[in-house]
Amino acid sequence: MRTDNTMPRGLPAAQGLYDPRNEHDNCGVGFLCHLKGRKSHDIVVNALKMVRNMDHRGGCGCDPDTGDGAGLFLQLPYKFFRKAAPACGIELPEDGQYAVGMIYLPRDAAERQQVEAAYEQVVRDEGQSVLGWRTVPVMGETLGKASKACEPVMRQLFVGRAANLKTDQDFERKLYVIRRCADKAVAALNLAEADSFYTASLSARTILYKGMLTTSQLDHYFPELHDEDMQSAMALVHSRFSTNTFPSWPRGQPFRYMCHNGEINTVRGNANWMHARQMLLGTGVLGKDIGKILPIIDESGSDSAMFDNCMEFLVLSGRPLHHAVMMMIPEPWERHQHMSQAKKDFYEYHACMMEPWDGPASIAFCDGVSIGAVLDRNGLRPSRF
């Protein structure tokens, strides 16, 4: 049974035949991209159309206006923020020199101020600058009773990049550290509305618009998604069906690097092994910040959220995105007659480092630069293109 500090947010305690450790998802997932990386609003429009067409893959309660979750993952729309940020008194530096965090905050104004102050302090402690906050316009009246009852306040935090961070990936690593430190700082506040705090995304490359929504509510709840300057060259979408789980705002997908349909059956063992290995980690590119991001796996998350935790760590510790995916979901390579020896050697080498994250799952992944998808090792959750 979970201890209080690892209880999934918004879920009841273990009781009778129910145990929150057995949470799994069955969902709709998809992505669009322009093969030459050309940004446009059409990508956003068509991604929203795609997620609406996956309505049958999403769940809702007896209240049909309360959905299990729907979300959209985009490249950071610089053109849109050039227009939206100054209206909030925020002066932006050049594209790539700032990040935007999509942050869920408590409804209580006093608690919200405490969270924002704690977050700002972490940003400054990590050598970055706070450019300002923007309240995200939402249409809360579109929500059902259950989702409205736990609706957070959505605010965007703009973070300026320090001059000593030479590469874009260095900045992404620092934002990773900031987010993990902010989680700990806010947890230490012991707020009454602690479950309302969640950082959906904090990146200079990507942003997430998601929530406890139905697929048809997503673009109505976030009206700025219809703005012509909301542009991206790639987009992930997700429609959540919590067949044996409880919906919540933070559990909506996509996550920060992926979204998936299915379940990771081996997640308990995967999380335990990651926890066991993290004390042996070398510093590498994360340097002295390595201790700030531990534990790597947030066990209050779902199976897909824990998968995302691991993928994020592998990418930000220096591996290309596709490399991390192949480590986590290797093909059945041992007796593959047509696989090259070099590829078999790759899988055999990494089998010494990590066990497969196994189970029936179709996973789409993106880091704002490249995008792709992968099936489970047995192809039990097929996808098509």
Side-chain angles (χ1 to χ4, degrees):
M1 182 174 174
R2 291 179 184 270
T3 58
D4 289 343
N5 64 332
T6 59
M7 181 65 68
R9 296 173 182 174
L11 301 183
Q15 52 190 291
L17 296 177
Y18 173 76
D19 191 321
R21 289 178 297 183
N22 299 324
E23 295 271 329
H24 299 294
D25 302 317
N26 290 283
C27 316
V29 59
F31 74 74
L32 285 172
C33 67
H34 192 285
L35 291 178
K36 295 185 178 179
R38 189 173 301 131
K39 292 185 177 183
S40 71
H41 184 57
D42 286 343
I43 291 286
V44 179
V45 170
N46 287 318
L48 291 169
K49 181 179 180 181
M50 178 191 289
V51 77
R52 282 195 298 273
N53 288 341
M54 291 194 296
D55 179 61
H56 63 290
R57 299 298 301 167
C60 63
C62 56
D63 169 10
D65 292 327
T66 294
D68 283 1
L72 175 67
F73 175 114
L74 300 171
Q75 289 177 310
L76 201 65
Y78 291 120
K79 188 175 181 181
F80 172 77
F81 285 125
R82 285 273 161 219
K83 175 175 65 179
C88 303
I90 300 170
E91 185 176 344
L92 294 179
E94 295 179 3
D95 296 353
Q97 298 300 309
Y98 70 92
V100 180
M102 180 70 85
I103 303 173
Y104 300 176
L105 295 164
R107 294 175 294 277
D108 180 81
E111 290 201 349
R112 189 162 63 248
Q113 282 187 330
Q114 289 184 66
V115 172
E116 291 182 359
Y119 220 121
E120 290 182 17
Q121 188 59 51
V122 169
V123 171
R124 296 187 183 100
D125 288 346
E126 294 300 322
Q128 312 308 301
S129 56
V130 176
L131 302 177
W133 291 83
R134 172 181 181 260
T135 299
V136 181
V138 296
M139 301 289 284
E141 60 270 23
T142 63
L143 300 176
K145 290 182 180 179
S147 52
K148 183 66 176 177
C150 55
E151 178 191 19
V153 172
M154 294 206 177
R155 298 258 281 164
Q156 289 168 339
L157 171 62
F158 290 76
V159 178
R161 173 173 164 178
N164 65 328
L165 299 176
K166 300 302 182 185
T167 70
D168 292 345
Q169 196 70 340
D170 288 338
F171 191 29
E172 291 298 312
R173 287 190 192 98
K174 181 56 67 175
L175 295 167
Y176 176 40
V177 172
I178 287 171
R179 197 189 79 238
R180 299 309 292 264
C181 290
D183 286 344
K184 296 172 185 177
V186 173
L189 296 174
N190 293 316
L191 302 175
E193 287 190 42
D195 287 350
S196 296
F197 169 70
Y198 174 70
T199 303
S201 61
L202 178 62
S203 174
R205 291 175 175 163
T206 62
I207 192 166
L208 286 168
Y209 287 86
K210 65 175 186 175
M212 195 172 156
L213 308 165
T214 65
T215 58
S216 60
Q217 286 173 339
L218 180 60
D219 59 331
H220 296 295
Y221 185 74
F222 296 109
E224 65 192 38
L225 293 177
H226 293 285
D227 193 295
E228 288 291 330
D229 291 332
M230 185 68 70
Q231 299 179 354
S232 180
M234 52 189 72
L236 286 177
V237 293
H238 190 272
S239 171
R240 186 167 188 253
F241 198 128
S242 2
T243 49
N244 55 352
T245 64
F246 289 84
S248 71
W249 284 84
R251 285 189 171 227
Q253 294 188 41
F255 290 108
R256 300 172 191 104
Y257 278 80
M258 52 75 70
C259 55
H260 101 314
N261 167 40
E263 50 197 62
I264 307 298
N265 299 137
T266 60
V267 66
R268 175 50 44 207
N270 296 131
N272 287 343
W273 275 114
M274 287 298 293
H275 184 75
R277 291 191 183 109
Q278 69 186 21
M279 303 312 297
L280 302 175
L281 291 174
T283 55
V285 292
L286 285 161
K288 59 180 173 53
D289 287 339
I290 191 76
K292 298 176 183 178
I293 63 163
L294 301 181
I296 294 168
I297 305 295
D298 176 3
E299 295 190 33
S300 69
S302 62
D303 56 339
S304 43
M306 287 189 267
F307 185 100
D308 185 74
N309 291 157
C310 181
M311 181 182 291
E312 178 180 45
F313 171 74
L314 293 176
V315 170
L316 295 178
S317 61
R319 295 171 179 85
L321 180 62
H322 61 276
H323 185 141
V325 173
M326 291 171 71
M327 282 180 67
M328 296 181 69
I329 308 180
E331 298 172 73
W333 55 272
E334 294 93 335
R335 295 181 176 85
H336 199 306
Q337 296 180 358
H338 306 293
M339 185 182 291
S340 69
Q341 189 59 46
K343 199 173 185 182
K344 286 184 178 181
D345 292 343
F346 172 92
Y347 285 129
E348 184 174 12
Y349 173 77
H350 288 93
C352 300
M353 300 182 182
M354 177 173 290
E355 302 73 21
W357 290 64
D358 230 342
S362 172
I363 292 178
F365 51 88
C366 183
D367 60 359
V369 178
S370 57
I371 194 167
V374 66
L375 301 182
D376 61 80
R377 300 204 294 163
N378 295 307
L380 295 174
R381 296 278 181 181
S383 296
R384 66 180 181 177
F385 66 92

